[in-house]
Amino acid sequence: VYVMYAGKLVEEGLCEEIFSSPAHPYTRALISLGNIVRKNKDEDLDCLGDYVRPVSRDNASCAFAGRCRESRDECARAVSYRKLSETHFVRCNL
């Protein structure tokens, strides 16, 4: 599974890894939205917050930083690409 936000890859891994241990805040938000839609169609879907244009189009920063509730100042400048397992990778400083 490849998870992309604003044209940038933020997480990749096997289906089981992504759904059982999502590492990027955007991936977690997407999965939680699916759970809300299935359980209660009237519940507010604001876990992603207001839309904010990506901070930068370069590959160094996190495009999701402007919407992320866990974002740090460094996320708008540079983000690391970390290996969580042999098949699971995340582009996040958290």
Side-chain angles (χ1 to χ4, degrees), residues 2-49:
Y2 294 96
V3 181
M4 296 185 73
Y5 179 80
K8 290 184 181 181
L9 182 64
V10 295
E11 188 165 359
E12 66 178 289
L14 299 175
C15 188
E16 298 82 20
E17 293 171 318
I18 298 294
F19 284 92
S20 67
S21 301
H24 195 279
Y26 181 62
T27 307
R28 291 194 301 267
L30 289 176
I31 291 170
S32 73
L33 284 173
N35 292 335
I36 290 170
V37 171
R38 277 185 249 129
K39 290 179 184 174
N40 182 354
K41 292 181 181 181
D42 296 326
E43 193 168 340
D44 191 14
L45 301 178
D46 70 345
C47 71
L48 287 173

Side-chain angles (χ1 to χ4, degrees), residues 35-76:
N35 292 335
I36 290 170
V37 171
R38 277 185 249 129
K39 290 179 184 174
N40 182 354
K41 292 181 181 181
D42 296 326
E43 193 168 340
D44 191 14
L45 301 178
D46 70 345
C47 71
L48 287 173
D50 293 333
Y51 176 75
V52 176
R53 282 202 175 281
V55 174
S56 173
R57 297 241 181 241
D58 66 27
N59 286 326
S61 65
C62 179
F64 190 61
R67 294 179 83 180
C68 183
R69 293 180 178 160
E70 302 172 54
S71 179
R72 303 173 186 163
D73 290 341
E74 67 208 50
C75 299

